[in-house]
Amino acid sequence: MKILYFGGQKSGKSRLAEAKTLSLSPLKKPIYLATYDNSYQDKEMQERISLHHQQRQKKFISIEEPLNLAKVIKEKETYLIDCISMWILNTLNQPIAELLKELEDINQKNANIIFVLNDVNAGVIPMDKESRKFVDRSGIIGQQLAAFCDEVYEVKMGIPIQLKSI
């Protein structure tokens, strides 16, 4: 099963995605695939990451992989990828075709995968080139994820709104 949770910052999407992941793997610890690249030296982001780590520490096996997600995903396991937005940022200099191919490879895996994506496409077009590239890629990648996921949830104020169910 493939599931997408997307929403704005602090919408509750990660908390809901964690709960769904745990429900899909009641007998075995699922894998939390963390995509944040700590090389940015951002103290506030490190505090956010620490909070996420504390929330999941005993419930998940954690793997940190900022670039090559498909290589760490094994068959017949359950994964939470949090978050695709950080992965997009980490891979901003790669051709978009490579990212879409990576997502296709992930989709072919016989595994439960829950994706978390920030919704950054509801605002104005950013002024600078890099920000526009990030927002555009978020929209393109979000569309691909929504197309192949079995379930898609938009999260607002901690409330999941189901947009797709197969």
Side-chain angles (χ1 to χ4, degrees), residues 1-4 21 24 33 73-74 77-81 84 103 105-116 145 148-151:
M1 175 163 277
K2 310 287 190 303
I3 302 170
L4 171 62
T21 304
L24 292 174
L33 188 49
I73 296 175
K74 308 295 183 222
E77 295 287 346
T78 299
Y79 293 86
L80 170 58
I81 302 177
I84 292 295
L103 291 178
D105 292 346
I106 291 170
N107 184 38
Q108 298 305 312
K109 304 270 186 172
N110 180 20
N112 291 320
I113 305 173
I114 293 77
F115 302 90
V116 175
L145 288 171
F148 72 65
C149 281
D150 302 299
E151 297 177 7

Side-chain angles (χ1 to χ4, degrees), residues 62-74:
S62 292
I63 297 175
E64 294 181 16
E65 178 52 57
L67 300 171
N68 303 307
L69 306 180
K71 80 173 185 181
V72 297
I73 296 175
K74 308 295 183 222

